[in-house]
Amino acid sequence: MFAGLNEVIRAGEEMRRLRAEMIRVLAGAGWTQDRLARLAGMSQPAVSKQVTGSHAADTGGLALDQEDAPWLEGRLWGLAEAIAEEIAESAACAKSTTGGTAGSARLTQALARGRKRFTERNVDALRRLVEEDLRTHRAALGPRHHEAREAYDRIARALDTGGAAGPYTEGTAPARRALARQVQRMRLRQA
């Protein structure tokens, strides 16, 4: 019973650290503290404390091009989700009944729901699916195809070289994956 309780406590602490990291990233991207407070379900002074207490202006540790494996896996995950959403939206706009689903959609959903883990086999499968989506759905991605392709090429090159084994700047591997996923998605939306 105590072991299960400790797991719950550790999960809660990890989620608080992840929330703090996300607040820092979004504040650095220009989001207002009031908006962050509403989204996080916190008071504005609590968000302000997170932002000022964490030195949010120093976002050098949150650069998109980090080389550790969890960060790269998170970027790949975020890229795959963004591609799948763009393909689905394009198909909905065109009212297409065929070709409106990205090959990577099912795997990204399974990763998001925790049904699949970031094993070497799943990361390789996700890479193949993203590569196929970029090749077969070029028209559906439209002007974002170029940015998505460049991001994929950088991620794939870094994963091929093995990525750095660590140490990373902050957080556990799952927290870094989730953070990289959000940062990658945010960058593609801004492109």
Side-chain angles (χ1 to χ4, degrees), residues 4 8 12 15 18-19 25-26 31 57-58 68 70 74 92 95 106 109 112 115 117 124 126 141 155 161 174 185 189:
V8 170
M15 290 308 294
L18 179 59
R19 181 178 65 188
V25 168
L26 294 174
W31 289 40
D58 178 25
D68 61 274
K95 296 183 177 138
R106 289 183 65 182
Q109 290 170 0
R115 289 191 210 135
R117 298 202 173 271
D124 285 343
L126 187 58
L141 292 171
I155 294 166
T161 60
R185 290 174 57 103
R189 268 190 240 124

Side-chain angles (χ1 to χ4, degrees), residues 94-187:
K95 296 183 177 138
S96 171
T97 57
T98 60
T101 304
S104 59
R106 289 183 65 182
L107 183 53
T108 56
Q109 290 170 0
L111 289 167
R113 292 186 177 132
R115 289 191 210 135
K116 297 263 185 182
R117 298 202 173 271
F118 279 91
T119 62
E120 192 174 324
R121 172 183 265 172
N122 287 337
V123 171
D124 285 343
L126 187 58
R127 286 178 67 177
R128 284 192 305 275
L129 291 169
V130 168
E131 180 80 33
E132 182 180 329
D133 288 342
L134 287 169
R135 188 174 55 251
T136 58
H137 296 285
R138 184 180 188 124
L141 292 171
R144 296 218 173 157
H145 179 269
H146 181 70
E147 288 86 10
R149 182 47 141 183
E150 282 184 358
Y152 175 74
D153 288 343
R154 281 194 299 270
I155 294 166
R157 256 185 260 112
L159 283 170
D160 286 341
T161 60
Y168 358 106
T169 56
E170 278 186 20
T172 62
R176 287 194 50 80
R177 277 188 203 102
L179 183 60
R181 169 190 178 205
Q182 294 302 325
V183 171
Q184 180 66 60
R185 290 174 57 103
M186 211 166 50
R187 293 284 169 89

Side-chain angles (χ1 to χ4, degrees), residues 13-113:
E13 290 170 356
E14 186 172 313
M15 290 308 294
R16 281 189 292 279
R17 281 193 301 270
L18 179 59
R19 181 178 65 188
E21 288 181 51
M22 287 304 299
I23 287 172
R24 287 193 304 263
V25 168
L26 294 174
W31 289 40
T32 64
Q33 290 182 7
D34 186 47
R35 185 173 181 195
L36 289 170
R38 283 194 311 268
L39 290 173
M42 299 169 65
S43 68
Q44 195 276 332
V47 170
S48 179
K49 185 177 178 182
Q50 292 264 337
V51 170
T52 58
S54 65
H55 306 292
D58 178 25
T59 57
L62 294 175
L64 190 58
D65 289 329
Q66 295 182 48
E67 296 292 320
D68 61 274
W71 188 264
L72 294 168
E73 292 165 357
R75 283 191 64 195
L76 180 65
W77 182 19
L79 179 64
E81 282 183 334
I83 289 170
E85 288 171 5
E86 191 75 27
I87 291 170
E89 287 175 16
S90 177
C93 288
K95 296 183 177 138
S96 171
T97 57
T98 60
T101 304
S104 59
R106 289 183 65 182
L107 183 53
T108 56
Q109 290 170 0
L111 289 167
R113 292 186 177 132

